[in-house]
Amino acid sequence: MEGEPTLRLRIFDLNCWAIRYLSKRRQQRVRLIGDTLRQEGFDLVLLQEVWSEQDYSDLKVKLAGCYPFSHYFRSGVIGSGLCVFSRFPILDTLLYQYSLNGYPYMLQHGDWFCGKSVGVTAPLLSLSLQLHAEYCRDKDAYLPHRLVQAWELAQFIRHTSKAADVVLLGGDLNMHPEDVGIRLLRGWTGLQDAFAEAMHFEGCKNGCTLVPDNCFTDKSELLPFPLGIRIDYILYKAISSFTVKCEELKTTTGRAPGMGIPFSDHEAVMATLHIQRQGQPAGASLGTADLALADVVTEARAEVGVGLQAARRQRYSSGRMAVLALLLLLLQAAAALGTLAGLGTEQPFPKLSFCLLAFLALGVLVLATGLHLFHTMEVKMLHGTEDQMWMVLRALQERP
Amino acid sequence: MEGEPTLRLRIFDLNCWAIRYLSKRRQQRVRLIGDTLRQEGFDLVLLQEVWSEQDYSDLKVKLAGCYPFSHYFRSGVIGSGLCVFSRFPILDTLLYQYSLNGYPYMLQHGDWFCGKSVGVTAPLLSLSLQLHAEYCRDKDAYLPHRLVQAWELAQFIRHTSKAADVVLLGGDLNMHPEDVGIRLLRGWTGLQDAFAEAMHFEGCKNGCTLVPDNCFTDKSELLPFPLGIRIDYILYKAISSFTVKCEELKTTTGRAPGMGIPFSDHEAVMATLHIQRQGQPAGASLGTADLALADVVTEARAEVGVGLQAARRQRYSSGRMAVLALLLLLLQAAAALGTLAGLGTEQPFPKLSFCLLAFLALGVLVLATGLHLFHTMEVKMLHGTEDQMWMVLRALQERP
């Protein structure tokens, strides 16, 4: 970037909703996405929910001409679903998996199996990511997990971006703009929201990316939000002696430009950024907002604390269940031994119900032990995050 | 650090082997470690295998006077076992969990349950860590996992240390100095080995940290290595305009200084470093060693490839087992339905063996499915690491 007065960077971000066998008209949509990307010639393309490696390979072949560099991030059982296509060389990549990501037994929510993560490509520090989905806004059991993810993401960005010129983040954060997780992420990293900063905006009202006009969205989810919600973001930050300005932000509006169907159930977000070198390194503007930041961290820490209490309760009850199942098994073993020793021979031994009960107890024991281990991990991670937040709060308060 | 001509930094690193109920004379040893640390007054103390939070709390109380700053890293079911005590403020921490860490069903090896990770404290970038243990050197099934960890660690250090002045790493790497994982870590990060660089050394021959003279070591493990092995390291690197020199390196020699028993089954490693600001930023010396580095990465990638093949085989066989169990269940369901429909009523239905078989099939199905999911994740992570290594190799080869 050195030597050039201004770099104009066009970024495309989309949650592709490309789940094999489940997403509607997946192949057609992936073809459409590929065609559009080839025509439009962006500089950087950040895609999420490309769950099938075959789809990635097809896109890679199609886009080899205009995006010679690409990377697919593998993690979890299904994969991270993240991939990046770039006009600039990708010299290095790094994958950071969040320590908490839902529950393996919530099969219908599936987040656990995806190994949600953030993929980083260097030298232009661009991050593609997806956080845990929100399934019920009123009673959001995953809020503490999403906050841990937002916190880990913020910490990760702070630690990896120190020597970067520019940080770009695109993805489905699964949070509304005013949610505590977004405020935490933005406050703690200093990332700016392309939608809020854009000099020119074109697209869905309020920059929404999940809108009723899109034929693939779940209309019942959007009932409380008739205009739609904004959960896909492009965020950016200039670190060293650079400035970044957002010239233009666009979203698709329920269908792909000039096409009959949308790219996905999410709208695509497209930003045009101007990156310019400036003489003076930008001072850390974080200090001025310390007080507001401390409030956000306190709020987030309280939510994590709520999650910690719930996790402790679940750990306790699964542990108790395991102990009960073990006791039942021991009792049965004693009864069986008693019968073998010749006690109570006046009645026939109920073999079938004995076996059924033993297997049931064994099943409960295995399941409850697994749950107990899982919730123990959850408690550790929530507790660790609470600690880290406390340390940051103390540091914020001690600043002059 | 600015303004001071030389900073003399004394570092203590120890794998404490403090497993509740399992480690011999744990409480006595933890007290001894605390007493020694208080007397000696190091600047930075990196401890591993402090599995009990109570032990950490006791140490924290005892050391509050001379090490006012400390942090305990929580992760996994049992914990990471990592903690740091420091004379300098710890302003920020970050925990990075390796994506692969052994197998949950290898209960006797336990690594999976620990959530092995690397803990980072800032602003002085110090890392405390432990990699997967080696249980059998000749047939080391965990080598690919340890290589993935070494690679992730190296990537993590590269990405987090860009703006740091000095990186310090202390821990039990579970690798001999000439092992490919150590060469990979050192080659790819440029970290220097305090033992090799020390102007003055005092301690076990060859810097060994697992020695036969230690009454807690497993003598059978050390049979092929009569002098002992070196698996605990202090590594360091100056990044920006600083130089680091290792003035002195010491290890304990089978017992704590002046005491009857050792601190742990590992020897402690103590380094005295001189950190000095210099006028010119040190040039990246990595370029000169590109060729050797490429060789190491190629070697490591081959080992990861071997692990990938093994993981694919295991994924396949567990998947096949799950399918067979499912088929058996379906067959049983058909038989039961047949009986209900009144077929084969001339013979009594063998309820007990039917139930036993059904539960067995169900158990195998659940277990095999779990294994299949786990090995799928393993394949993803090994494949992802192989990809990343390939990308780095290409970049190394394309350098002028």
Side-chain angles (χ1 to χ4, degrees):
Chain A
M1 264 174 272
E2 282 183 42
E4 286 165 299
T6 303
L7 178 78
R8 196 161 169 269
L9 200 68
R10 293 180 63 223
I11 303 165
F12 180 92
D13 170 75
L14 175 66
N15 177 332
C16 296
W17 187 50
I19 314 169
R20 231 199 281 208
Y21 315 122
L22 286 178
S23 301
K24 285 177 201 154
R25 301 169 80 173
R26 186 188 106 247
Q27 286 170 311
Q28 188 189 355
R29 289 189 292 106
V30 170
R31 264 199 308 275
L32 185 62
I33 292 170
D35 292 340
T36 307
L37 290 178
R38 197 166 50 180
Q39 278 164 28
E40 289 279 333
F42 291 94
D43 297 300
L44 185 69
V45 176
L46 306 170
L47 302 181
Q48 300 96 46
E49 292 205 2
V50 181
W51 298 119
S52 143
E53 274 199 58
Q54 189 54 51
D55 284 344
Y56 166 71
S57 302
D58 293 348
L59 280 174
K60 192 176 165 174
V61 169
K62 184 179 261 178
L63 301 177
C66 35
Y67 306 90
F69 305 96
S70 67
H71 190 74
Y72 186 74
F73 294 94
R74 288 182 184 81
S75 78
V77 179
I78 306 172
S80 70
L82 306 174
C83 60
V84 175
F85 292 90
S86 167
R87 228 162 47 82
F88 302 109
I90 297 175
L91 293 182
D92 202 354
T93 62
L94 181 67
L95 184 78
Y96 182 85
Q97 258 181 285
Y98 310 117
S99 59
L100 281 182
N101 189 33
Y103 304 100
Y105 49 84
M106 298 299 266
L107 289 176
Q108 77 277 26
H109 290 167
D111 294 67
W112 187 83
F113 291 93
C114 314
K116 292 255 168 99
S117 14
V118 44
V120 186
T121 60
L124 181 76
L125 200 69
S126 71
L127 299 98
S128 175
L129 69 138
Q130 188 176 22
L131 299 189
H132 198 292
E134 178 183 82
Y135 294 99
C136 170
R137 194 163 174 81
D138 293 331
K139 210 181 149 191
D140 184 7
Y142 296 110
L143 178 60
H145 283 212
R146 212 176 310 108
L147 280 177
V148 169
Q149 294 184 346
W151 176 257
E152 288 182 350
L153 176 61
Q155 286 285 78
F156 182 72
I157 291 172
R158 282 170 57 85
H159 283 273
T160 52
S161 66
K162 277 179 186 143
D165 294 326
V166 173
V167 177
L168 299 172
L169 182 153
D172 171 10
L173 298 179
N174 272 313
M175 295 186 283
H176 297 215
E178 73 282 3
D179 284 0
V180 58
I182 287 275
R183 285 183 283 133
L184 183 70
L185 175 64
R186 290 192 46 202
W188 190 221
T189 57
L191 282 166
Q192 292 188 293
D193 184 352
F195 172 72
E197 306 292 328
M199 288 178 266
H200 175 73
F201 174 74
E202 204 181 305
C204 298
K205 204 168 153 75
N206 300 330
C208 291
T209 58
L210 220 53
V211 293
D213 289 345
N214 186 311
C215 62
F216 295 130
T217 52
D218 178 359
K219 300 297 174 289
S220 65
E221 235 181 73
L222 291 175
L223 273 184
F225 309 99
L227 287 176
I229 54 178
R230 182 156 80 94
I231 58 174
D232 297 84
Y233 298 81
I234 289 178
L235 306 177
Y236 61 83
K237 183 186 178 186
I239 306 239
S240 48
S241 52
F242 285 83
T243 52
V244 183
K245 285 206 173 72
C246 182
E247 180 192 320
E248 189 181 56
L249 192 81
K250 280 186 185 176
T251 71
T252 50
T253 52
R255 60 181 57 193
M259 303 288 165
I261 62 160
F263 286 136
S264 159
D265 61 344
H266 287 240
E267 301 307 315
V269 184
M270 293 155 283
T272 307
L273 302 181
H274 276 208
I275 301 174
Q276 199 159 21
R277 184 184 278 279
Q278 61 174 15
Q280 290 289 317
S285 62
L286 215 63
T288 55
D290 271 3
L291 214 67
L293 179 59
D295 285 348
V296 175
V297 176
T298 308
E299 191 181 339
R301 190 163 171 262
E303 289 292 352
V304 171
V306 172
L308 181 58
Q309 278 180 358
R312 278 192 177 131
R313 275 198 303 272
Q314 283 166 312
R315 179 178 64 172
Y316 172 75
S317 60
S318 54
R320 193 181 48 186
M321 183 74 86
V323 169
L324 287 178
L326 190 65
L327 284 179
L328 182 58
L329 273 177
L330 290 176
L331 214 70
Q332 281 204 296
L337 283 175
T339 311
L340 282 178
L343 297 172
T345 39
E346 62 277 8
Q347 284 180 0
F349 187 75
K351 277 186 201 163
L352 180 64
S353 44
F354 182 86
C355 277
L356 280 176
L357 195 62
F359 274 108
L360 191 69
L362 199 67
V364 171
L365 179 63
V366 169
L367 207 72
T369 308
L371 279 179
H372 184 70
L373 290 181
F374 179 81
H375 288 299
T376 304
M377 277 199 263
E378 193 189 5
V379 165
K380 292 255 177 220
M381 296 317 306
L382 287 166
H383 196 175
T385 305
E386 218 189 13
D387 261 16
Q388 283 190 13
M389 288 176 166
W390 181 79
M391 185 178 284
V392 165
L393 274 178
R394 206 181 45 175
L396 283 175
Q397 279 152 5
E398 278 174 8
R399 275 194 204 171
Chain B
M1 263 175 272
E2 283 183 42
E4 286 165 294
T6 303
L7 178 77
R8 196 161 167 270
L9 200 69
R10 292 180 64 223
I11 304 165
F12 180 92
D13 170 74
L14 175 66
N15 177 332
C16 296
W17 187 50
I19 313 168
R20 229 198 282 209
Y21 315 121
L22 286 178
S23 301
K24 285 178 200 153
R25 303 169 79 173
R26 187 188 104 250
Q27 286 170 312
Q28 189 190 355
R29 289 188 291 107
V30 170
R31 266 200 307 278
L32 185 63
I33 292 169
D35 292 339
T36 307
L37 291 178
R38 196 165 52 181
Q39 279 165 27
E40 289 280 332
F42 291 94
D43 298 298
L44 185 69
V45 175
L46 307 171
L47 303 181
Q48 299 96 45
E49 292 205 5
V50 182
W51 297 119
S52 143
E53 274 199 58
Q54 190 53 51
D55 284 344
Y56 167 71
S57 304
D58 294 347
L59 280 174
K60 191 176 168 172
V61 170
K62 184 178 262 179
L63 301 177
C66 34
Y67 306 89
F69 306 96
S70 67
H71 190 73
Y72 186 75
F73 293 93
R74 288 182 184 81
S75 78
V77 179
I78 308 172
S80 71
L82 305 174
C83 60
V84 175
F85 292 90
S86 169
R87 227 162 47 82
F88 302 108
I90 297 175
L91 294 181
D92 200 355
T93 62
L94 181 67
L95 184 77
Y96 182 84
Q97 259 181 285
Y98 311 117
S99 59
L100 279 183
N101 189 32
Y103 305 98
Y105 49 84
M106 296 299 268
L107 289 175
Q108 76 278 27
H109 291 168
D111 294 67
W112 188 85
F113 291 93
C114 313
K116 291 256 168 98
S117 13
V118 44
V120 186
T121 60
L124 181 76
L125 199 70
S126 71
L127 299 99
S128 176
L129 70 136
Q130 190 177 23
L131 299 189
H132 198 293
E134 177 184 83
Y135 294 100
C136 170
R137 194 163 174 82
D138 293 331
K139 210 181 149 193
D140 183 8
Y142 297 110
L143 178 60
H145 283 212
R146 211 174 314 108
L147 280 177
V148 169
Q149 294 184 346
W151 176 257
E152 288 182 350
L153 175 63
Q155 285 286 78
F156 182 72
I157 291 172
R158 282 169 56 86
H159 284 273
T160 52
S161 66
K162 278 182 185 143
D165 294 327
V166 173
V167 178
L168 299 171
L169 182 154
D172 172 10
L173 298 180
N174 272 314
M175 293 186 284
H176 298 214
E178 73 283 3
D179 284 0
V180 58
I182 287 275
R183 284 182 283 134
L184 183 70
L185 176 64
R186 291 191 45 202
W188 190 221
T189 58
L191 282 165
Q192 292 189 292
D193 184 352
F195 173 73
E197 307 292 328
M199 288 179 267
H200 175 74
F201 174 74
E202 204 181 303
C204 298
K205 204 168 155 66
N206 300 330
C208 290
T209 58
L210 220 54
V211 293
D213 288 347
N214 186 310
C215 61
F216 295 130
T217 50
D218 179 357
K219 300 297 174 290
S220 64
E221 234 181 74
L222 291 176
L223 273 185
F225 309 99
L227 286 176
I229 54 178
R230 183 156 80 95
I231 58 175
D232 297 85
Y233 298 81
I234 289 179
L235 306 177
Y236 60 83
K237 183 186 177 184
I239 306 241
S240 48
S241 53
F242 284 83
T243 52
V244 184
K245 287 207 172 71
C246 181
E247 181 191 320
E248 189 181 56
L249 191 82
K250 279 186 186 177
T251 72
T252 50
T253 53
R255 59 183 57 194
M259 303 289 166
I261 61 160
F263 287 136
S264 159
D265 61 344
H266 286 239
E267 302 306 315
V269 184
M270 293 155 284
T272 307
L273 301 181
H274 276 211
I275 300 175
Q276 199 160 20
R277 184 184 278 279
Q278 62 175 17
Q280 290 289 318
S285 62
L286 216 62
T288 55
D290 272 4
L291 214 67
L293 179 58
D295 284 348
V296 175
V297 177
T298 307
E299 190 181 339
R301 190 164 172 260
E303 289 291 351
V304 171
V306 171
L308 180 59
Q309 278 181 357
R312 279 194 175 129
R313 274 196 304 273
Q314 282 166 313
R315 180 179 63 172
Y316 172 75
S317 60
S318 55
R320 193 181 48 186
M321 182 76 83
V323 169
L324 286 177
L326 189 66
L327 283 179
L328 181 59
L329 273 176
L330 290 177
L331 213 71
Q332 282 203 296
L337 283 176
T339 310
L340 283 178
L343 297 171
T345 39
E346 63 279 6
Q347 284 180 1
F349 188 73
K351 278 188 201 162
L352 179 65
S353 44
F354 182 86
C355 277
L356 280 175
L357 195 61
F359 274 109
L360 192 70
L362 198 68
V364 171
L365 178 63
V366 168
L367 207 74
T369 308
L371 279 180
H372 183 71
L373 291 180
F374 179 80
H375 288 299
T376 304
M377 277 198 261
E378 193 190 5
V379 164
K380 293 251 178 225
M381 297 317 306
L382 287 166
H383 196 173
T385 304
E386 219 190 13
D387 262 16
Q388 283 191 12
M389 288 176 167
W390 180 79
M391 186 179 285
V392 165
L393 274 177
R394 206 182 43 175
L396 282 175
Q397 279 152 6
E398 278 173 7
R399 275 194 204 170

